[in-house]
Amino acid sequence: ARARARGRAAHHILSRVAESADFALIDDDERAHFAVRAIARACGLSAFDDDNEQLFNQLVATVRGPLGALMRQGAGLRFEELISYTTPSGAIVQGAADLVARTPEWTLVVDFKSSAQGAESDDTHLQLCAYAEGLRQAGEPDVRLSAWVIGASEVSAKRYTDDDQRQ
């Protein structure tokens, strides 16, 4: 239960920092740490817990790394976006993507994970493919998918392909 609550808080903190659109937060380590801690306190996380300190450092790395890169590119960011698609049999599949980033040229769907093992799992890939298919059916351009390990300073994205759709 504690891990789930920390995960929800991490998602909320990342979205609040991104919504601020304050480039000083992504360009200045001290300001990023201050913002993450302030938002964490508002979420009920203690700033004096050693486990939380590690989480705060991971969130700052994500803010200053991949999230900051999307902000610098001018991507529109939507957190917990509801996405649905219709399967060939007519069933409707629905879920909320952790992050959808959009530019006129591409759309990126991101799932946040706490570990590399989670990010690399088949379940995560299938979940991202479901979101990507929903975005593609909605007419989004050049859909890409990525699982981000919270704390990774660099991430990669994969283009959603017909091979992914067949899975």
Side-chain angles (χ1 to χ4, degrees), residues 95-113:
D98 291 343
L99 170 62
V100 177
R102 292 178 173 86
T103 71
E105 295 82 33
W106 49 261
T107 301
L108 173 68
V109 61
V110 175
D111 193 35
F112 299 129
K113 293 296 178 186

Side-chain angles (χ1 to χ4, degrees), residues 1-17 36 39-46 52 55-56 59 80 112 150:
R2 183 168 191 250
R4 188 173 300 245
R6 285 168 43 91
R8 280 193 305 272
H11 288 206
H12 184 74
I13 292 165
L14 291 173
S15 68
R16 290 281 307 273
V17 169
V36 163
I39 296 167
R41 279 192 305 275
C43 293
L45 292 181
S46 168
N52 289 343
L55 175 63
F56 299 158
L59 291 169
E80 298 300 324
F112 299 129
I150 300 292

Side-chain angles (χ1 to χ4, degrees), residues 21 42 45 58 67 83 90-91 97 107 114 137:
L45 292 181
Q58 292 169 326
L67 189 59
I83 299 173
T107 301
S114 60
Q137 285 184 13

Side-chain angles (χ1 to χ4, degrees), residues 28-50:
D28 182 283
D29 193 57
E30 189 175 323
R31 286 184 179 184
H33 275 277
F34 179 81
V36 163
R37 280 183 176 74
I39 296 167
R41 279 192 305 275
C43 293
L45 292 181
S46 168
F48 304 105
D49 181 305
D50 287 343

